[in-house]
């Protein structure tokens, strides 16, 4: 489940410059479960690369492991990750 975002204009800017990534939806199937999700994210230039932050919310549609009845499980995850440019990572 990947979604490409062109951050090349942001890399030409100084630290602190940011833009909102247009909200997008994704759908995927894992084993027997269907997952649909919507992401609302922001990209911010840092001194080392680009920081992505925001929220991903969705639903997993699956079968109950006990009785096999259909179930819908709400999903919610905060995102706060930094993609670091080559040569700027501190190990």
């Amino acid at each position: 489940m990947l979604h490409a975002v062109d951050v090349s204009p942001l890399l030409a800017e100084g630290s602190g410059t940011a833009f909102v990534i247009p909200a997008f939806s994704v759908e995927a199937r894992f084993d027997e479960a269907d997952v649909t999700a919507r992401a609302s994210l922001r990209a911010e230039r840092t001194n080392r690369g680009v920081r992505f932050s925001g929220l991903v919310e969705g639903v997993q549609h699956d079968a109950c492991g006990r009785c096999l009845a259909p179930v819908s499980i709400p999903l919610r995850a905060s995102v706060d990750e930094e993609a670091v440019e080559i040569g700027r990572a501190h190990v």
Side-chain angles (χ1 to χ4, degrees), residues 5-21 42-46 49-52 83 85:
V5 176
D6 181 10
V7 297
S8 58
L10 191 59
L11 291 173
E13 301 293 330
S15 293
T17 304
F19 72 87
V20 174
I21 299 169
R42 178 177 187 263
E44 179 181 355
R45 179 71 163 112
T46 67
V50 178
R51 178 178 173 222
F52 297 93
E85 294 180 78

Side-chain angles (χ1 to χ4, degrees), residues 48-60:
R48 300 182 327 154
V50 178
R51 178 178 173 222
F52 297 93
S53 59
L55 185 64
V56 179
E57 295 180 291
V59 177
Q60 176 181 334

